[in-house]
Amino acid sequence: MSVLLSVRDLSIAFGSHMAVERLSFEVEAGETVAIVGESGSGKSATALAIMRLIEREGGRIADGSILFGADAASDLARASEAQMRRVRGNRIAMVFQEPMTSLNPVMRVGGQVAEAIMRHRGLSRAHALEEAEQAFERVCIPEPKRRLSQFPHELSGGLRQRVMIAMALACRPQLLIADEPTTALDVTTQAEILQLIRSLQSETGMAVLFITHDMGVVGEIADRIVVMRKGALVEKASVERFFSRPFADYSKALLAATPRLGAGGPEAPAEGETVLRVENLTTSFGTGGFAPKASRRTIVDGVSLSIGRGETLGLVGESGCGKSTLARSILRLVEPDRGTVEIGGRDWTALSGDRLMTARRDAQMVFQDPYASLNPRMAVREAITEPARIHSLVSARDARDLAVSLVEKVGLEADCVDRFPHQFSGGQRQRLAIARALSVQPKLIIADEAVSALDVSIARQVTDLMLDLQQREGLSFLFISHDIAVVERVSHRIAVMHAGRIVETGRTDHVLRAPRDPYTRRLLSAVPRLPAIATEERLSGQYAANASAWPEVEPLSA
Amino acid sequence: MLKYMTRAGLKIVITFLAIVTLAFAATRLSGDPINYIAGQGLTQADRDLLVTYYGLDRSILEQYLAFMGSFFDGEFGLSFVERRPVSVVIAERIWPSLQLLLASTALTLALAIPLGIVAAVWRKSWVGSAVMTLAFLFYAVPNFVLAVFMILVFSYWLNWLPVVGNGTWAHFLMPTIAMSGLLIAGLTRFTRNAMLDVLGQDFIRTARAKGLAETEVILRHGLRNASITILSVIGLQVASLAAAGSVVVESIFAWPGIGELLVRSAIQRDYPVLQFGVIAVSIAVLIINAVVDLAYTWADPRIRLGEA
């Protein structure tokens, strides 16, 4: 095999900050190399540097070379803008993470694909559109002709990503750079897209540079792996060698923190009182205030479930299945149409006004986005004690003491309470969100994708914290996630949701080992699996048990 | 689409009714018109005669209905001052006003959008700063100040341009600039912000990753998207131009348009003309808004095909 791309001593700077330092790796023709790293590792900056789009994002290539081409390699780091325009979308193409925002919303998708073809292959618009139709066919878009004249908002996330791939492959590039192309997609869609990239690769012989943070995806698609951390190369290896004998400590820790399906869940709690009982809950949304009953769409459809004291119920399902609406209906943040919700023995559906308000202290919620769910203008001590103050559980004088005890409970330093949310990293903010929920000593916490936005090591720390709190305080959790491996780690029981209904519930190991419902089986088979690791004990011995000892990424200012 | 237009049409009818009623009520609230029409020192008999003549002795409801009825007689009543049908008085003012409005709008669009794009694309160089400084300066100058200043320089000192009237193209220069100065400045700033917003989005990176030239990226992908937000502001601005701008600028340059007519009939208490003048301007604003709404649905396919 010949080397197609050779990155040598590449350094990338944003202002005076070095995002990547002296990175070197190769991609051979026809192979798939995965660049893996957590946020801030410089993996996306590397991809943009190869495309020379980094300047547009405010960065620059400070040093090093990017040799591209099988025979007469040219240095992209020194290429002119005109030369780069002939490379981009033609010899090197790129697919981005967010299919929702990566397509021009006011342009028909056919036109967007044709644009690249017209530019690089000099075809007329009509010819280019014919080519675009074929490109749609290659990426298995149903009804390609009709899709050409549709706008992005008319397509699902999976279809949009297929359009992106069709666009990237339209000029048959030698190298495809895929920057987290499946991160925003559901597991079943992710499995389809990975399968598609693999088959197109074997068909066209192109090389793929795959950027991801997901070890499972690496195991599915890559031949070789490049691990990065804080802008530096940590390890280069073949995928087989990496998963069986990772050299670098960081690689070992990364593998240990990666949740893997089938690793087992927590011990079952002692039988206790029922904290949450939901019966036949149904919620529907209309298109407007005066929408007739018939035009309402049922989002949650006759859901029944229960959670005992000290128990975690994991709720899994794909986006749009109604998980979040169910959570909001339980807490009456949206009004359910019918059904009953009982929390701590009180029938919430029968409560209103002050009595509902009083009841609310029994159940709290932790949201997905730790950046958006804390008011940036509120100091931590105010933010995390606000629920307690609303419920008059704490006087203004004692609020600070409460705040200190809460942050200590979630593993942060006492002096955190006088800081503001922007001074914390994502994982720390999620700890603060949990502290806020704890301030009213709730019986139930609903965590809606609470760790989905975090890096694996940080997510691991946050779920460990939840398990720890549960042990100590007998808390019950409704843990909502699309990531089944994470759910397995924290849940005693699992409920699988599909199209508004719970299709299967049961003990975690039962549902995952012997799923009864066909949808559950489909969902589970789509989850990317890590290759078996021979030396699992050795790995987990040092790191898995002590994930909280990981240094978290330092906040920008203290 | 049909549903959308029906809804838009219904909105216009309701808004129009509200405007007509407000125009009527505002006039009634401003005092006794007879004093202004005939002056002081009338005999009671003459006064009663006038009150009956103008229908002011009837109940408010009857007056309102009569006022509404006058829409259908085609004349809209009689001007107190000119003794001619209001419809004729207003009709001859429409074209000059429209000319000035179109000229100002064209000048605004022709200057503000390219300048806004330039300011966005070269925001870090002196070109962008220069454009923004100028825009800031003009944004701070009210149109009557700009008008008077131009008259001083170009008519009084240099004697290049005529001050009053609308005979030749030279007559258009100063009123058009005076009308649009503020708008050009405002729209330039807005276009810049809208472009910066769009140029920072993911699909612009996609467009560049395709290998498109920068002009294609900026115009086809950038401006096309920014035009959605720009359009909404143009609607508001042109509407304010039609209403407020014309009143001030037409008065200063004695431009024989509706704005000048409004000011004059307000001073002369010519209520029939004032009422229908206000209504005429309101109709213009409604039409502009409707056109912008339609353009908006054209520019944004998410509205065009959505459940609107």
Side-chain angles (χ1 to χ4, degrees), chain B residues 21 25 34 78-79 106 150 153-154 185 208-210 249 253 275 293-294 305:
Chain B
T21 311
I34 304 297
L78 212 61
S79 160
M150 281 192 297
V153 174
F154 298 109
R208 290 195 178 116
K210 269 185 236 182
V249 173
F253 293 98
Q275 276 173 349
D293 264 7
L294 274 178
L305 301 156

Side-chain angles (χ1 to χ4, degrees), chain A residues 374-390:
Chain A
L374 285 167
N375 184 337
R377 309 220 182 285
M378 250 191 200
V380 165
R381 62 170 185 284
E382 301 170 62
I384 65 176
T385 57
E386 193 180 23
R389 278 183 281 126
I390 290 170

Side-chain angles (χ1 to χ4, degrees), chain A residues 23-351:
Chain A
L23 175 70
S24 298
F25 67 92
E26 284 82 41
V27 179
E28 293 183 355
E31 75 167 346
T32 299
V33 174
I35 300 186
V36 181
E38 304 194 323
S39 43
S41 62
K43 54 192 195 302
S44 288
T46 304
L48 289 172
I50 295 168
M51 291 291 273
R52 285 286 301 282
L53 290 171
I54 192 77
E55 288 92 341
R56 296 283 174 195
E57 312 279 322
R60 67 194 158 82
I61 296 175
D63 199 14
S65 55
I66 301 165
L67 303 177
F68 175 74
D71 315 316
S74 55
D75 186 359
L76 300 185
R78 275 160 199 82
S80 70
E81 180 61 22
Q83 286 169 322
M84 280 315 298
R85 275 206 294 273
R86 285 195 292 276
V87 173
R88 285 184 204 131
N90 189 25
R91 297 177 63 203
I92 307 179
M94 192 156 174
V95 178
F96 299 95
Q97 172 169 359
E98 270 298 334
M100 297 297 164
T101 55
S102 293
L103 289 165
N104 185 339
V106 301
M107 206 169 160
R108 294 172 201 279
V109 290
Q112 296 191 49
V113 175
E115 210 175 32
I117 300 168
M118 283 153 71
R119 158 131 311 247
H120 296 296
R121 291 163 59 188
L123 297 182
S124 71
R125 190 177 160 80
H127 272 115
L129 278 171
E130 279 171 29
E131 288 278 325
E133 191 183 334
Q134 287 169 21
F136 276 15
E137 249 166 56
R138 272 206 299 282
V139 298
C140 308
I141 292 176
E143 304 178 80
K145 199 169 187 71
R146 188 168 71 86
R147 300 288 178 194
L148 285 178
S149 58
Q150 286 189 316
F151 289 96
H153 71 272
E154 298 174 80
L155 307 176
S156 66
L159 274 181
R160 286 188 219 192
Q161 204 58 304
R162 280 172 197 267
V163 169
M164 283 296 290
I165 294 171
M167 187 191 294
L169 300 188
C171 297
R172 303 202 175 253
Q174 292 156 286
L175 175 65
L176 174 70
I177 301 177
D179 187 358
E180 304 259 10
T182 59
T183 305
L185 304 174
D186 285 319
V187 275
T188 48
T189 317
Q190 165 171 292
E192 289 165 18
I193 296 286
L194 292 179
Q195 167 66 34
L196 175 71
I197 291 176
R198 262 197 313 257
S199 73
L200 289 169
Q201 187 177 18
S202 64
E203 193 182 305
T204 62
M206 68 180 173
V208 177
L209 184 61
F210 202 100
I211 290 157
T212 182
H213 67 279
D214 186 331
M215 286 295 172
V217 170
V218 174
E220 296 262 315
I221 199 159
D223 301 310
R224 289 192 305 121
I225 184 169
V226 173
V227 183
M228 289 179 73
R229 186 187 193 205
K230 290 184 179 173
L233 177 75
V234 172
E235 181 164 7
K236 284 190 281 197
S238 74
V239 164
E240 295 78 42
R241 205 274 280 148
F242 181 79
F243 282 111
S244 58
R245 283 183 297 121
F247 291 162
D249 283 351
Y250 177 72
S251 305
K252 292 174 189 168
L254 201 59
L255 278 175
T258 303
R260 68 197 65 226
L261 207 53
E267 297 275 315
E271 280 291 315
E273 78 220 76
T274 304
V275 169
L276 171 72
R277 188 198 311 279
V278 175
E279 255 161 55
N280 205 20
L281 197 68
T282 299
T283 302
S284 60
F285 290 141
T287 49
F290 300 104
K293 267 261 163 358
S295 74
R296 291 177 75 89
R297 227 153 51 85
T298 303
I299 309 295
V300 176
D301 193 358
V303 167
S304 300
L305 48 86
S306 69
I307 301 179
R309 183 177 149 77
E311 187 187 40
T312 298
L313 176 69
L315 181 64
V316 298
E318 296 181 289
S319 51
C321 76
K323 304 187 293 288
S324 290
T325 307
L326 173 59
R328 282 153 205 263
S329 306
I330 289 173
L331 295 183
R332 287 200 46 199
L333 297 174
V334 297
E335 281 302 316
D337 297 355
R338 52 180 177 277
T340 52
V341 175
E342 235 179 79
I343 299 175
R346 258 188 288 211
D347 181 359
W348 274 42
T349 38
L351 296 177

Side-chain angles (χ1 to χ4, degrees), chain B residues 87-265:
Chain B
S87 57
V88 176
V89 174
I90 288 179
E92 61 194 23
R93 299 291 190 128
I94 289 176
W95 179 233
S97 274
L98 198 61
Q99 278 180 310
L100 193 55
L101 185 66
L102 289 175
S104 308
T105 308
L107 183 69
T108 303
L109 296 184
L111 282 179
I113 289 176
L115 282 175
I117 294 171
V118 164
V121 172
W122 284 286
R123 69 186 175 285
K124 284 179 186 160
S125 85
W126 65 270
V127 182
S129 318
V131 170
M132 289 322 289
T133 310
L134 271 178
F136 188 75
L137 203 71
F138 273 85
Y139 200 66
V141 179
N143 47 16
F144 60 89
V145 174
L146 184 62
V148 171
F149 182 74
M150 281 192 297
I151 291 173
L152 181 69
V153 174
F154 298 109
S155 302
Y156 187 74
W157 287 346
L158 299 171
N159 207 14
W160 288 351
L161 295 171
V163 179
V164 298
N166 68 333
T168 68
W169 65 269
H171 286 99
F172 273 88
L173 285 179
M174 287 198 294
T176 305
I177 294 170
M179 285 261 281
S180 44
L182 198 68
L183 293 196
I184 294 169
L187 194 62
T188 300
R189 285 155 52 112
F190 190 85
T191 302
R192 171 182 182 268
N193 292 347
M195 283 299 287
L196 281 182
D197 189 34
V198 169
L199 290 178
Q201 294 199 13
D202 288 349
F203 60 82
I204 295 294
R205 194 178 48 192
T206 308
R208 290 195 178 116
K210 269 185 236 182
L212 296 186
E214 202 53 24
T215 43
E216 289 176 293
V217 174
I218 289 166
L219 296 180
R220 199 185 305 156
H221 292 273
L223 182 61
R224 179 70 181 74
N225 273 278
S227 68
I228 298 169
T229 34
I230 294 173
L231 259 176
S232 63
V233 168
I234 291 176
L236 288 175
Q237 295 208 332
V238 173
S240 81
L241 203 63
S246 66
V247 169
V248 175
V249 173
E250 286 182 7
S251 300
I252 293 174
F253 293 98
W255 193 268
I258 294 203
E260 197 265 347
L261 178 69
L262 276 180
V263 174
R264 190 173 347 142
S265 35

